[in-house]
Amino acid sequence: MNPQAKLLSITSLFLGSTITITSNHWIMAWTGLEINTLAILPLISKSHHPRAIEAATKYFLVQAAASALLLFSSMTNAWYTGQWDITQLTHPTSCLLLTTAISIKLGLVPFHFWFPEVLQGTSLTTGLLLATALKFPPITLLLLTSPSLNPTLLTILAVASTALGGWAGLNQTQTRKILAFSSISHLGWMAIILVYNPKLTLITFYLYCLMTIPIFLTLDTIKTLKLTTMSTAWTKIPPLTATLMLMLLSLAGLPPLTGFLPKWLIIQELTKQEMTPTATIIALLSLLGLFFYLRLAYCATITLPPNSINHMKQWQTNKSTKMFITTLITLSIMLLPLSPMIFTTS
């Protein structure tokens, strides 16, 4: 891809996200989302592979439909209340339409069908943007409108997303699809607590990004796209694949690692809100995700190929990214002891 075109696309992504996050008018928020959609399309389709073109087409159609629905929601609210301010979304129909539009943009169940297919059709670096950076503006809109949203609807969407993200990921062999269903499952955890504690949703999103970014970068470094090639990847950079297992277990939410923190806080908050059955259900559904994370970790570090590969071990990665990945890996594994400080800041 032309470096100037890539720079333009990435700059437009920053611009679109900034416009949406900082705006208080629905038209400006919609404009930022549209800039984001148009900026990511060249990055998705840059390989000129038929699957990449298909992914870009699906992404454009889905995001255009969601943006139109969001605009219709804001116009309906302005028609009835005379308010274009994002925080003044009070009309019930507008709240329902907005929840639907943002669910489509994020990939929440039952509007999730596009996300695994788009992620499968693009590169790991572009998939990283789709799974983390491009979800921030829609989540910001949800945070701003959270007092007006229907908690029952969000709870149903959240439990369904956590269940389907776990079930659908069990039978996958492609790492990008597994990470896509992992993202859907984590979005369910964010959505279930949105109305009761919006700050906790934001903390969960930040920690999810912190754990997902090094996994994507590690898979991109060892050039692994499916489970069969992952079982031979340990010979390339043994230290990196060893820490990959810890990162995957952290994303699964096992207690000694960073990923346990958001799940712990969310279950605690749900219990305070007298939603113990819901907390129990979503905690049990997270065991489904734990299974395919364990399978990924098994393929990455424990499985030995039948015939060893005769090539030099690549003990060092590219020096420009080595320190960045190392820092993110450390944070994605060892942030749990800092949880008292996170409690005080939130």
Side-chain angles (χ1 to χ4, degrees):
M1 188 177 181
N2 191 333
Q4 285 83 6
K6 185 181 287 187
L7 179 64
L8 182 63
S9 293
I10 293 171
T11 309
S12 300
L13 280 176
F14 278 110
L15 176 66
S17 298
T18 306
I19 289 173
T20 302
I21 292 163
T22 57
S23 62
N24 59 2
H25 195 284
W26 277 113
I27 297 296
M28 289 301 294
W30 172 79
T31 304
L33 292 173
E34 288 299 293
I35 291 172
N36 269 354
T37 301
L38 294 176
I40 197 68
L41 289 175
L43 296 176
I44 296 174
S45 58
K46 66 181 178 182
S47 66
H48 302 294
H49 190 275
R51 188 179 284 274
I53 304 299
E54 180 188 346
T57 307
K58 285 179 180 176
Y59 184 79
F60 173 74
L61 292 175
V62 169
Q63 297 297 312
S67 295
L69 202 57
L70 184 139
L71 194 59
F72 180 57
S73 164
S74 58
M75 288 177 66
T76 306
N77 187 69
W79 178 272
Y80 282 102
T81 64
Q83 290 286 341
W84 282 99
D85 195 288
I86 292 177
T87 56
Q88 301 297 320
L89 190 79
T90 54
H91 194 264
T93 306
S94 298
C95 293
L96 180 64
L97 289 171
L98 177 80
T99 306
T100 306
I102 300 296
S103 298
I104 294 171
K105 279 200 166 290
L106 290 174
L108 281 170
V109 174
F111 312 106
H112 65 284
F113 298 102
W114 64 273
F115 189 55
E117 297 298 325
V118 170
L119 218 63
Q120 178 63 26
T122 186
S123 65
L124 280 164
T125 47
T126 310
L128 172 59
L129 288 173
L130 288 170
T132 55
L134 286 178
K135 293 196 183 297
F136 190 42
I139 285 178
T140 306
L141 292 179
L142 277 183
L143 289 171
L144 291 172
T145 56
S146 58
S148 309
L149 300 180
N150 186 344
T152 308
L153 177 62
L154 280 173
T155 302
I156 293 170
L157 290 176
V159 172
S161 298
T162 312
L164 189 130
W167 278 113
L170 293 178
N171 202 30
Q172 300 298 328
T173 57
Q174 303 284 334
T175 54
R176 285 169 294 184
K177 277 197 174 180
I178 290 174
L179 290 170
F181 286 115
S182 161
S183 177
I184 292 169
S185 179
H186 279 83
L187 282 170
W189 282 87
M190 296 174 213
I192 202 166
I193 205 67
L194 178 70
V195 175
Y196 307 105
N197 193 339
K199 287 184 180 178
L200 190 49
T201 299
L202 205 56
I203 289 173
T204 307
F205 178 72
Y206 288 153
L207 291 176
Y208 163 73
C209 291
L210 193 65
M211 293 180 290
T212 304
I213 290 170
I215 291 176
F216 269 98
L217 293 177
T218 300
L219 292 175
D220 187 52
T221 303
I222 60 179
K223 299 292 182 285
T224 301
L225 297 177
K226 49 189 176 181
L227 294 182
T228 52
T229 55
M230 185 177 274
S231 61
T232 60
W234 69 274
T235 57
K236 296 179 182 176
I237 313 174
L240 198 58
T241 48
T243 52
L244 178 62
M245 179 183 71
L246 291 174
M247 287 187 283
L248 290 165
L249 295 180
S250 179
L251 198 59
L254 288 187
L257 305 169
T258 302
F260 177 63
L261 178 58
K263 289 183 168 58
W264 172 29
L265 294 178
I266 288 171
I267 289 172
Q268 188 179 39
E269 184 67 29
L270 288 174
T271 309
K272 286 180 185 175
Q273 299 291 336
E274 297 181 356
M275 296 176 66
T276 309
T278 309
T280 307
I281 290 169
I282 201 167
L284 290 173
L285 289 173
S286 68
L287 294 175
L288 294 169
L290 177 62
F291 176 81
F292 61 74
Y293 291 126
L294 284 172
R295 187 175 62 167
L296 272 172
Y298 176 80
C299 290
T301 55
I302 302 171
T303 306
L304 300 179
N307 300 308
S308 59
I309 301 172
N310 296 318
H311 63 74
M312 294 292 290
K313 287 183 173 63
Q314 184 186 348
W315 287 96
Q316 289 190 347
T317 58
N318 187 358
K319 287 186 178 181
S320 61
T321 59
K322 187 167 63 173
M323 280 302 297
F324 182 61
I325 296 178
T326 307
T327 307
L328 286 175
I329 288 172
T330 307
L331 289 174
S332 70
I333 294 171
M334 303 176 66
L335 205 60
L336 190 62
L338 296 177
S339 54
M341 186 179 73
I342 295 174
F343 291 157
T344 55
T345 54
S346 63

